[in-house]
Amino acid sequence: MGQCLGSIGVTVLLTSVSNMCAFFLAAIIPIPALRAFSIQAGVLVFFNLMSMLFVFPAIISINLFCSEKCLSCLKGKRKTDVVEVAVYSKAVNGNVIVENHQDHEKKVSEVSLPPSVASSKQNLTNRDDPSRESSTKKRCGFTLTWFAKDVFGPILQKKPVKIVIIFAFSVLLGVSIWGVTLVKDGLDLTDVVPRDTNEFNFMDTQAKYFGFYPMFVVTKDDFDYANNHQALFNLHSEFNAVNNIVRTNNSLPEFWLSYMQKWLQKLQWTFDKEYAENRMDKTGWQLNASSDGILAYKLLVQTGEDSINRDQVTSIKLVADNGTIYQSGFYYYLTAWVSNDLLGYQTSLAGFTPAPPSWVHDAGRTNLTIPKSQPLTYTQIPFYLNKMVDTEVIVKTINTIRTICENYTDTGLPTYPSGIVFTFWEQYVSLRFWLMLSLICVLGAIFVMVTLMLMNPWAAFVVASVLAMLITELFGYMGFAGIKLSAVPAVILIVSVGIGVEFTVHITTAFLTSVGNRNQRMQVAIEHMFAPVIHGAISTLLGIIMLATAEFDFIVKYFFNVLAVLVALGVLNGLVLLPVLLSILGPNAEITPNKKKGVGTSEPNETIAGAYTNPLPVTEDEEQSPSKEITPVNENPDTGPDKKSKEIKVSIMSGSDDDTSQPDVKHLHRDTNSSTPDYYTDSTGM
């Protein structure tokens, strides 16, 4: 189990950490629901990593321990057992590197073994054994490992094939970049409901013909509403530049200040008329005065200091000739207007905060006191947007409105837009920026993680480059498939970087830990990692295949199609493009043959398939356990017939790098009586 974790632990850690980085960095997108999803998914990946590194190995170890005990009871123990080890590597300077293959003991006497043990023994016999070859063909036939070693790998090593692959992926990258330019922003509501339903028909018709949405321009505190009426009127008139605002007789709809202004002008006109008719004077009103005239008198005597001044009823006006409301009495007038012009106030949709106090005018009461409203901290200017049927039009309108609000905020009138349009579509204003930022952060994080774990910046750069191509190709597919960019595809694009690591880091790690020139190491990496990568792709497809049966177009189009194409592109980039790039400009090998005393000189470009060695002694307690990799040294203690020894049959690939000759069979004897348990001898005398 330790050897297993040593071989694959790095790649498991890399892929899991990459997925965690992708999910956590996807939370950069400022959409609360998707941010919560990304964080939860990242935490889930973390706990999955912990279980894979600690819980799962422990369970496997317990299972192996129990299996070995049961197998020991069935087989028994003998000192004359012969262990067959299949070695698919070359001998470098007399050193034998044995791959991590399960080898079992072969009994001299006939022993009844379970089918699983018997099949394992058959797989580990000599490759040149005719009986093994015919048996393997009958039982296994075509295998992914055979295909990768004997067909796919040799094809990729040919220079014309490399040229064709580089050219083909360059064309694919160019087409993908073109497809990226075709991606539009938005998310159709018709995608989230089943087709052939009344809801779908309604939303489809509404989107085509009734793109009508209300909106508000909100003004906030830190503004003197009583003394800056003209700024509010100017802000309102600026929205003439927005073409999609509904107009009445080519005029913008009125807002609360204009409603209040007209109401006060009407009261002022009534007071002036009745004052001229002697129904009003400075001391009060006559019995024949109208209710509006009396209300106007009560408003005119307000000084703004919670006091009454009857003398100013003829010296001031509720609304000046230039349209400015009397500043000192503004918040008294506001209280009266809200409570006594209910139709105007409700129509204005002003939404005052804090709400003015209630004060209902009664012409029969002579009390002139009117409660003063608190300074406003929130008001609304309503508009109605029409013909908002396309995301590009909506985003353009949002940008225009945002610009107006930001300009007036800079002048001292804090304001911002609000409404359904801004709630659901404003994400598209900066979505591409946040997406690019997240992708850059994810790629940067993966580059750092691969660099730290593999201690090879160049390998990390190659991996990050292939992942960038993968994301570009997936993004381009979205453009040709008509998938619009919204928060959901953006998160999938970010997460696909982490998923793409699974198609690249295995090949890269195997390439780094192999020995030989780049072509040879590419061959070894493909032979060892082709099948695991294919198996991972198939398992991913099995996980998403049920999404294809969903009746919601949104699920099929935005999830299944995108993820299925991601798997296909990941396999192509990871098993076709990446090996070719590594064979051309890949990093140097991390493992090189060592020159040992008395062993001989090492030849260049000699390949040792299977980079991991573990020259541990074989003890009697380990006879039933998986064999250790053997690195014999050129020392040969005397092994006489009176000394107990174990014969280990090893198949060794010999010859030059390009030699395809059959392996030689050598016998290594281990002296079990020697005080130094790590000596092995070659029974052929070599």
Side-chain angles (χ1 to χ4, degrees), residues 207-420:
K208 290 181 179 179
Y209 305 107
F210 302 99
F212 182 83
Y213 300 97
M215 64 155 288
F216 300 95
V217 175
V218 176
T219 58
K220 303 185 293 182
D221 52 357
D222 298 329
F223 179 73
D224 189 359
Y225 289 88
N227 297 303
N228 292 281
H229 302 154
Q230 192 58 46
L232 292 171
F233 283 113
N234 292 339
L235 171 64
H236 179 263
S237 63
E238 284 288 337
F239 285 88
N240 281 306
V242 182
N243 297 325
N244 294 89
I245 289 181
V246 177
R247 291 167 171 79
T248 303
N249 297 326
N250 295 325
S251 299
L252 294 174
E254 297 184 17
F255 71 112
W256 65 269
L257 188 59
S258 61
Y259 280 110
M260 180 179 173
Q261 180 192 61
K262 290 184 177 181
W263 182 75
L264 292 174
Q265 286 175 336
K266 177 184 176 183
L267 294 180
Q268 183 67 53
W269 180 84
T270 302
F271 175 82
D272 292 340
K273 177 183 177 183
E274 295 186 1
Y275 189 88
E277 296 173 352
N278 294 323
R279 290 190 283 176
M280 293 281 183
D281 56 26
K282 291 183 178 181
T283 60
W285 58 89
Q286 304 298 325
L287 293 177
N288 59 349
S290 65
S291 177
D292 287 350
I294 297 172
L295 177 58
Y297 181 87
K298 293 180 179 180
L299 295 176
L300 287 170
V301 299
Q302 306 299 320
T303 63
E305 299 178 355
D306 295 331
S307 59
I308 303 299
N309 184 2
R310 299 175 184 269
D311 293 333
Q312 69 179 18
V313 294
T314 57
S315 60
I316 67 169
K317 290 184 176 295
L318 299 176
V319 181
D321 294 336
N322 61 0
T324 302
I325 299 175
Y326 181 55
Q327 291 88 346
S328 298
F330 175 79
Y331 283 109
Y332 297 96
Y333 304 166
L334 186 65
T335 299
W337 175 64
V338 169
S339 300
N340 295 278
D341 186 17
L342 295 177
L343 180 61
Y345 175 65
Q346 295 296 332
T347 304
S348 70
L349 301 176
F352 292 142
T353 302
S358 177
W359 180 83
V360 178
H361 166 61
D362 185 357
R365 298 176 60 184
T366 59
N367 185 6
L368 302 179
T369 302
I370 299 177
K372 182 180 181 180
S373 298
Q374 296 295 319
L376 296 173
T377 60
Y378 178 94
T379 69
Q380 295 180 160
I381 301 177
F383 294 103
Y384 295 94
L385 301 173
N386 195 20
K387 300 180 181 179
M388 308 286 282
V389 297
D390 187 80
T391 301
E392 293 183 357
V393 174
I394 296 175
V395 171
K396 183 179 179 180
T397 302
I398 290 175
N399 286 330
T400 302
I401 295 173
R402 279 286 184 189
T403 301
I404 295 173
C405 293
E406 290 172 359
N407 291 338
Y408 271 83
T409 299
D410 294 338
T411 62
L413 175 53
T415 181
Y416 66 91
S418 177
I420 298 176

Side-chain angles (χ1 to χ4, degrees), residues 1-7 96-101 103 591 596 608 610-618 622 625-633 648 670 677-678 680:
M1 183 54 63
Q3 292 179 353
C4 179
L5 289 178
S7 300
V96 181
I97 305 295
V98 183
E99 285 186 334
N100 293 329
H101 289 285
D103 51 303
I591 300 176
K596 294 186 178 181
I608 302 177
Y612 305 101
T613 63
N614 187 15
L616 298 177
V618 180
E622 297 172 326
S625 61
S627 64
K628 305 295 187 299
E629 297 175 357
I630 305 168
T631 305
V633 296
I648 302 178
R670 175 178 178 271
D678 291 340
Y680 292 86

Side-chain angles (χ1 to χ4, degrees), residues 100 427 439:
N100 293 329
Q427 58 175 304
L439 290 175

Side-chain angles (χ1 to χ4, degrees), residues 166-234:
I166 295 297
F167 176 77
F169 275 90
S170 299
V171 173
L172 178 60
L173 179 62
V175 174
S176 300
I177 294 175
W178 177 34
V180 171
T181 62
L182 302 178
V183 177
K184 297 181 179 180
D185 296 336
L187 176 63
D188 295 333
L189 294 177
T190 52
D191 288 337
V192 299
V193 296
R195 290 185 177 273
D196 301 326
T197 60
N198 294 332
E199 292 81 2
F200 177 87
N201 296 331
F202 169 78
M203 291 185 177
D204 186 49
T205 303
Q206 182 188 44
K208 290 181 179 179
Y209 305 107
F210 302 99
F212 182 83
Y213 300 97
M215 64 155 288
F216 300 95
V217 175
V218 176
T219 58
K220 303 185 293 182
D221 52 357
D222 298 329
F223 179 73
D224 189 359
Y225 289 88
N227 297 303
N228 292 281
H229 302 154
Q230 192 58 46
L232 292 171
F233 283 113
N234 292 339

